[in-house]
Amino acid sequence: MQLRRYELNVHRINHIFISHLHGDHYLGLMGLLFTLHLQKRTAALHLYSHAGLDEIITVQLRYSKSVLNYPIIFHTLEKDKHEIIFEDDHLQVESIPLTHKLTCSGFLFREKPKARRIDKNRLPEGLLLQQLAALKMGDDIVDESGKVLYKNEDLTLSAKHSRSYAYCSDTAYEPMLIPLLEGVDLLYHEATFIEEDKLKAKETKHSTALEAAQIAKQAGVKKLALGHFSARYKDLSVLEEEAKTVFNNTVLATEGQTFSLEE
Ligand SMILES: [Zn+2]
Ligand SMILES: [Zn+2]
């Protein structure tokens, strides 16, 4: 319903990453799977989750006597493991072990290093395709004897920045995350409570806004987005303010918002 509300194209979704099996993190999935079926999807859909999601989905399909038009490919996440779980030419996704009541993983999305950009203003005429490819890879252009004809830096501009985004929900304060999150462009970190309700946070293995900000600060991330707020806070600015005392570049990730990361 929210995808439709924000006019996002569900057919562009090929991979879905589920952190853990508390209902607030996956109960909408079954509806989405059936919507894709009704809309005649045929392309495979990849689901990443800890053990159990495959069984939950299989049981629902079995008892509704449904066969989806498209295959689902389950990827079971390994408990407590930081590893690459998806990779293509442009992107890699890492699982990040989180500390929660259920086995839980966050996800770190990283663009791969990008090619250098050819500076069209300085490009001599008549270069071959493979010479242009060499330039993008950062190599000089050489003749058959290996003599440099053009130096790479004379014809190219630096590659664009490879962006990174980390999703950490749900988790208690976990300093082990700090080295994994180092320098990411945007960190989404849960902040279910404020310090005043710290006991509740400890009990339920959630974080306070201050703790999320400490992780952001120590990991040297560029921007922190807080989310997963307890319904007890009618005015969410208390969470934002608390985090900003430690990490100023903090925003509230409220429903429907978009964050752009600069290349
Ligand atoms: Zn949870
Ligand atoms: Zn949750």
Side-chain angles (χ1 to χ4, degrees), residues 67-85:
V67 178
L68 299 176
N69 287 324
Y70 58 92
I72 292 176
I73 298 166
F74 288 104
H75 302 266
T76 304
L77 301 174
E78 290 224 35
K79 196 175 187 284
D80 300 330
K81 204 149 180 198
H82 169 232
E83 62 181 340
I84 296 172
I85 53 171

Side-chain angles (χ1 to χ4, degrees), residues 60-129:
Q60 295 197 57
L61 291 173
R62 187 193 304 147
Y63 283 98
S64 65
K65 291 197 165 39
S66 304
V67 178
L68 299 176
N69 287 324
Y70 58 92
I72 292 176
I73 298 166
F74 288 104
H75 302 266
T76 304
L77 301 174
E78 290 224 35
K79 196 175 187 284
D80 300 330
K81 204 149 180 198
H82 169 232
E83 62 181 340
I84 296 172
I85 53 171
F86 169 79
E87 192 167 18
D88 68 9
D89 290 345
H90 306 289
L91 183 76
Q92 79 174 37
V93 184
E94 300 164 28
S95 62
I96 312 172
L98 300 179
T99 300
H100 194 42
K101 286 248 171 180
L102 295 184
T103 303
C104 185
S105 290
F107 302 103
L108 176 48
F109 302 83
R110 280 184 201 282
E111 282 184 314
K112 295 235 173 121
K114 296 175 185 175
R116 291 185 69 84
R117 292 166 295 155
I118 289 173
D119 184 353
K120 294 202 177 79
N121 298 325
R122 291 187 287 168
L123 201 63
E125 274 180 41
L127 289 186
L128 303 171
L129 274 179

Side-chain angles (χ1 to χ4, degrees), residues 19-25 100-102 104 169-171 190 204-206 228:
S19 60
H20 66 301
L21 293 177
H22 278 147
D24 53 324
H25 294 262
H100 194 42
K101 286 248 171 180
L102 295 184
C104 185
S169 188
D170 300 355
T171 188
E190 74 130 281
T204 54
K205 296 209 174 171
H206 283 298
H228 200 273

Side-chain angles (χ1 to χ4, degrees), residues 158-171:
S158 61
K160 285 191 173 172
H161 171 64
S162 298
R163 296 165 292 181
S164 53
Y165 165 60
Y167 171 88
C168 293
S169 188
D170 300 355
T171 188

Side-chain angles (χ1 to χ4, degrees), residues 25-66:
H25 294 262
Y26 82 95
L27 286 180
L29 183 61
M30 211 59 213
L32 175 61
L33 297 183
F34 275 111
T35 299
L36 293 173
H37 171 73
L38 293 172
Q39 294 185 354
K40 307 276 182 244
R41 182 190 179 97
T42 55
L45 182 69
H46 295 260
L47 298 183
Y48 301 76
S49 157
H50 287 285
L53 185 65
D54 48 350
E55 189 181 339
I56 292 168
I57 290 172
T58 305
V59 164
Q60 295 197 57
L61 291 173
R62 187 193 304 147
Y63 283 98
S64 65
K65 291 197 165 39
S66 304

